[in-house]
Amino acid sequence: MRKLPGLILSKEFLCFILIAAQIAAIIFLCVLVPAFLPLWLAIAAAWSVALSTSVLLLTSRRSADFKCAWFAIFCALPIVAPLLYIICTVYGKKRCILEVNSSAEYTLSAAAAAVCGSGAAGYDRAEYYPDGTTFFNALFERIASAKSEVLLEFFIFSRGKIFERLIESLETAKSNGAVIKIIIDGLGSAFKIGGREKNRLKKLGELKTFHRIIPLPIARHNLRDHRKIAVIDGGEAYIGGINIADEYANISCNYGYWKDSAVYVGGEAAQVFRAMFYSVWDGESRVSVKGEGKYLCLPYCDSPPARSFCEDAYISKILSAKRRVHILTPYFCGGEKLMSALKFCAKSGVEVQIIIPHIPDKKYVYAVTRAFAKELSSSGVQFYEFMPGFMHSKCVICDDEVFLGSYNFDFRSMHLNYECGILFNGDMCERAERDFQDCFKLSAPLLHGKATPAKRLTRFFLKIFAPLI
């Protein structure tokens, strides 16, 4: 019974439901419809819906990868797929509007302002946490000392020792007089915490669930809040890839050693992340910053269905790299533009090294990762497996700048999830590079070997559907 929730939310179960729906639709069309409607008219109506949906897909502003994946589904499920496309992709108006008025100039800041509403901000101090243990120690200590406000926005809240430590620190913060607000994702935290845990959080402050599983439309189910943000007293922020769960601190993990990372930043940059939180909490948020501080950085985010900033930012920095592009990622299945940028970069003589997990948490995504890796390896991109276990860090280093945050190196993170990140240069980039080199010492080259015809066929189809995984 414990595995039932995971089975219901799995891709395999979804495929089973779609196939069953297609069979039911065919039976309905061929057996029941002729009793009250000519069969030719029913078939003509079904094809009209399919044709009009195809035109809608073709004229949309989505990527070619996304369109190709949906056309493949149209061919496989000609009756069900058009209706599925309509209910899964009609998102409605843009939500979570962010507007950062910044007078500071920093790399990509103008593009960030135009695409996602963010802007360059100053900071005096930043920290890099190379593992979950040091991150949680710092975060919970700071929460416990909060005086005015604690804002938490995480994809996963899961019962366990880390959750209990969070509760203890929040209780202390509340006794200090701090206002506590928490956002959890309806799918990410589904079955990981229940009513009992949610009530404990509600007793400490306000709790909102982003896109509950029921009874919201399916289209909104496809857009998840994958951000990891903690803002304390308005001027200190923690972001990265780490959720509130035991595996992130290696207390319990089924995938070997869980490698993750996070960052702390203070000053104006933290105020921007505070505005990101309230853009989800209130639907829109505005903040003004002047670039005051010893250093400058670029906080950024993506709020679908708006255009993706992160993917274009990655492409821009990858194509301009002269020495190195180093990437840590749990998943690797980006769009065609991003893959082409990496190939071109490697062919130009730049060192492109990517570290992925040796022990994956999702086997079908790992199969996609290996399929893309094999394709890019022929262009000079070097792939390595993190041998101790699961690589969950999200880090993209391009020469002397580094992207850190909640983004995975895949289509979903860059187009379908609410994500956040920060672009640093200088010392923070070197700290991230040292972490990369430490991981590199524990990694081995990815060996492809000779794939069987069945495996090659499976990877071919997985690559087609990668934008929807």
Side-chain angles (χ1 to χ4, degrees), residues 1-10 13 155-160 184-195 197-198 209 213-214:
M1 290 298 293
R2 291 183 178 180
K3 296 183 178 181
L4 183 60
L7 176 63
I8 294 175
L9 296 175
S10 68
F13 184 76
F155 180 61
I156 294 174
F157 282 79
S158 180
R159 61 180 69 87
I184 67 174
D185 184 79
L187 182 61
S189 298
F191 309 110
K192 292 180 174 63
I193 59 172
E197 289 81 12
K198 290 180 182 179
T209 301
I213 297 179
I214 298 174

Coordinates of all heavy atoms in Angstrom, one line a residue, residues 1-10 13 155-160 184-195 197-198 209 213-214:
M1 N 0.8 -1.2 0.0 CA 0.0 0.0 0.0 C 0.9 1.3 0.0 O 0.5 2.3 -0.5 CB -0.9 0.0 1.2 CG -2.0 -1.0 1.2 SD -3.1 -0.8 -0.2 CE -3.9 0.8 0.3
R2 N 2.1 1.2 0.6 CA 2.9 2.4 0.6 C 3.3 2.8 -0.8 O 3.6 4.0 -1.0 CB 4.2 2.1 1.5 CG 3.9 1.9 3.0 CD 5.2 1.7 3.7 NE 4.9 1.6 5.2 CZ 5.9 1.4 6.1 NH1 7.1 1.3 5.7 NH2 5.6 1.3 7.4
K3 N 3.4 1.8 -1.7 CA 3.9 2.2 -3.1 C 2.7 2.6 -3.9 O 3.0 3.1 -5.1 CB 4.6 1.0 -3.7 CG 5.8 0.5 -3.0 CD 6.5 -0.6 -3.7 CE 7.8 -1.0 -3.0 NZ 8.5 -2.2 -3.7
L4 N 1.5 2.5 -3.5 CA 0.3 2.9 -4.3 C 0.3 4.4 -4.7 O 0.1 4.6 -5.9 CB -1.0 2.5 -3.5 CG -2.3 2.8 -4.3 CD1 -2.3 2.0 -5.6 CD2 -3.5 2.5 -3.4
P5 N 0.6 5.3 -3.8 CA 0.6 6.7 -4.2 C 1.6 7.0 -5.3 O 1.3 7.7 -6.3 CB 0.9 7.5 -3.0 CG 0.5 6.6 -1.9 CD 0.7 5.2 -2.3
G6 N 2.8 6.4 -5.2 CA 3.8 6.6 -6.2 C 3.5 6.0 -7.5 O 3.8 6.5 -8.6
L7 N 2.8 4.8 -7.5 CA 2.3 4.2 -8.7 C 1.3 5.0 -9.4 O 1.3 5.2 -10.6 CB 1.7 2.8 -8.4 CG 1.1 2.0 -9.5 CD1 2.2 1.7 -10.6 CD2 0.5 0.8 -9.0
I8 N 0.3 5.6 -8.7 CA -0.7 6.4 -9.3 C -0.1 7.7 -9.9 O -0.6 8.1 -11.0 CB -1.7 6.8 -8.2 CG1 -2.5 5.6 -7.7 CG2 -2.7 7.9 -8.7 CD1 -3.4 5.9 -6.5
L9 N 0.9 8.2 -9.4 CA 1.5 9.4 -9.9 C 2.6 9.2 -11.0 O 3.3 10.1 -11.5 CB 2.1 10.3 -8.8 CG 1.1 10.8 -7.8 CD1 1.9 11.6 -6.7 CD2 0.1 11.8 -8.5
S10 N 2.9 7.9 -11.3 CA 4.0 7.5 -12.2 C 3.6 7.7 -13.6 O 2.4 7.7 -14.0 CB 4.4 6.1 -11.9 OG 3.3 5.2 -12.4
F13 N 1.7 4.6 -15.1 CA 0.3 4.6 -14.8 C -0.5 5.5 -15.8 O -1.5 5.2 -16.3 CB 0.0 5.0 -13.4 CG -1.4 4.9 -13.0 CD1 -2.0 3.6 -12.7 CD2 -2.2 6.0 -12.9 CE1 -3.4 3.5 -12.4 CE2 -3.5 5.9 -12.5 CZ -4.1 4.7 -12.2
F155 N 9.4 22.8 -3.0 CA 8.7 21.8 -3.8 C 8.2 20.6 -3.0 O 7.1 20.1 -3.1 CB 9.6 21.3 -5.0 CG 8.9 20.3 -5.9 CD1 7.8 20.6 -6.6 CD2 9.5 19.0 -6.0 CE1 7.2 19.7 -7.5 CE2 8.9 18.1 -6.9 CZ 7.8 18.4 -7.6
I156 N 9.1 20.1 -2.1 CA 8.8 19.0 -1.3 C 9.0 19.3 0.2 O 10.0 19.8 0.7 CB 9.8 17.8 -1.6 CG1 9.5 17.3 -3.1 CG2 9.6 16.6 -0.6 CD1 10.5 16.2 -3.5
F157 N 7.9 19.0 0.9 CA 8.0 18.9 2.4 C 7.6 17.4 2.7 O 6.6 16.9 2.3 CB 6.9 19.8 3.1 CG 7.3 21.2 3.1 CD1 7.2 22.0 2.0 CD2 7.8 21.8 4.3 CE1 7.5 23.4 2.1 CE2 8.2 23.1 4.4 CZ 8.0 23.9 3.3
S158 N 8.5 16.7 3.4 CA 8.3 15.3 3.7 C 8.6 15.0 5.2 O 9.5 15.5 5.8 CB 9.3 14.4 2.8 OG 9.1 13.1 3.1
R159 N 7.7 14.2 5.7 CA 7.8 13.9 7.1 C 9.1 13.2 7.4 O 9.6 12.4 6.6 CB 6.6 13.0 7.6 CG 6.5 11.7 6.9 CD 5.3 10.9 7.4 NE 4.0 11.5 7.0 CZ 3.4 11.3 5.8 NH1 4.0 10.4 5.0 NH2 2.3 11.8 5.6
G160 N 9.7 13.4 8.6 CA 11.0 12.8 8.9 C 11.7 13.7 9.9 O 11.2 14.6 10.5
I184 N 3.7 25.2 -0.2 CA 4.1 23.8 -0.6 C 3.5 23.5 -2.0 O 2.5 24.1 -2.3 CB 3.7 22.8 0.4 CG1 2.2 22.6 0.5 CG2 4.2 23.1 1.8 CD1 1.7 21.5 1.3
D185 N 4.2 22.7 -2.7 CA 3.6 22.3 -4.0 C 2.6 21.1 -3.8 O 3.0 20.1 -3.1 CB 4.7 21.9 -5.0 CG 4.2 21.6 -6.4 OD1 3.9 22.5 -7.1 OD2 4.0 20.4 -6.7
G186 N 1.5 21.2 -4.5 CA 0.5 20.2 -4.3 C 0.9 18.8 -4.8 O 0.5 17.8 -4.2
L187 N 1.7 18.7 -5.8 CA 2.1 17.4 -6.3 C 3.4 17.0 -5.6 O 3.6 15.8 -5.3 CB 2.3 17.4 -7.8 CG 2.7 16.1 -8.5 CD1 1.7 15.1 -8.3 CD2 3.0 16.3 -10.0
G188 N 4.4 17.9 -5.5 CA 5.7 17.6 -4.9 C 5.6 17.0 -3.5 O 6.3 16.1 -3.1
S189 N 4.6 17.6 -2.7 CA 4.5 17.1 -1.3 C 3.4 16.1 -1.2 O 3.1 15.7 0.0 CB 4.3 18.4 -0.4 OG 5.4 19.2 -0.5
A190 N 2.7 15.7 -2.3 CA 1.6 14.8 -2.2 C 2.1 13.5 -1.6 O 3.1 12.9 -2.0 CB 1.0 14.6 -3.5
F191 N 1.3 13.0 -0.6 CA 1.6 11.7 0.1 C 2.9 11.7 0.9 O 3.2 10.7 1.5 CB 1.6 10.6 -0.9 CG 0.4 10.5 -1.8 CD1 0.5 10.8 -3.1 CD2 -0.8 10.2 -1.3 CE1 -0.6 10.8 -4.0 CE2 -1.9 10.2 -2.1 CZ -1.8 10.4 -3.4
K192 N 3.6 12.8 0.9 CA 4.9 12.9 1.7 C 4.6 13.6 3.1 O 5.3 13.3 4.0 CB 5.9 13.7 0.9 CG 6.4 13.0 -0.3 CD 7.5 13.8 -1.0 CE 8.1 13.0 -2.2 NZ 7.1 12.7 -3.2
I193 N 3.6 14.5 3.1 CA 3.1 15.0 4.3 C 1.5 14.9 4.2 O 1.0 15.0 3.1 CB 3.5 16.4 4.7 CG1 3.1 17.4 3.6 CG2 5.0 16.4 5.0 CD1 3.3 18.8 4.0
G194 N 0.9 14.7 5.3 CA -0.6 14.6 5.3 C -1.2 15.7 6.1 O -0.6 16.7 6.5
G195 N -2.5 15.5 6.5 CA -3.2 16.5 7.2 C -2.6 16.8 8.6 O -2.6 18.0 9.0
E197 N 0.6 16.8 9.5 CA 1.8 17.6 9.3 C 1.4 19.0 8.9 O 2.0 20.0 9.3 CB 2.8 17.0 8.3 CG 3.5 15.8 8.8 CD 2.7 14.5 8.7 OE1 1.6 14.6 8.0 OE2 3.1 13.5 9.3
K198 N 0.4 19.1 8.0 CA 0.0 20.4 7.5 C -0.7 21.2 8.6 O -0.5 22.5 8.7 CB -1.0 20.2 6.4 CG -0.4 19.7 5.1 CD -1.5 19.6 4.0 CE -0.8 19.0 2.7 NZ -1.8 18.8 1.6
T209 N -1.1 25.9 -0.5 CA -0.7 24.8 -1.4 C -0.8 25.3 -2.9 O -1.8 25.8 -3.3 CB -1.6 23.6 -1.2 OG1 -1.5 23.2 0.1 CG2 -1.1 22.5 -2.1
I213 N -3.8 19.0 -6.2 CA -4.1 17.9 -7.1 C -5.6 17.9 -7.5 O -5.9 17.7 -8.7 CB -3.7 16.5 -6.6 CG1 -2.2 16.5 -6.3 CG2 -4.1 15.4 -7.5 CD1 -1.7 15.2 -5.7
I214 N -6.4 18.0 -6.5 CA -7.9 18.0 -6.7 C -8.4 19.3 -6.1 O -8.1 19.7 -5.0 CB -8.5 16.8 -6.1 CG1 -8.0 15.5 -6.7 CG2 -10.0 16.8 -6.2 CD1 -8.4 14.2 -6.0

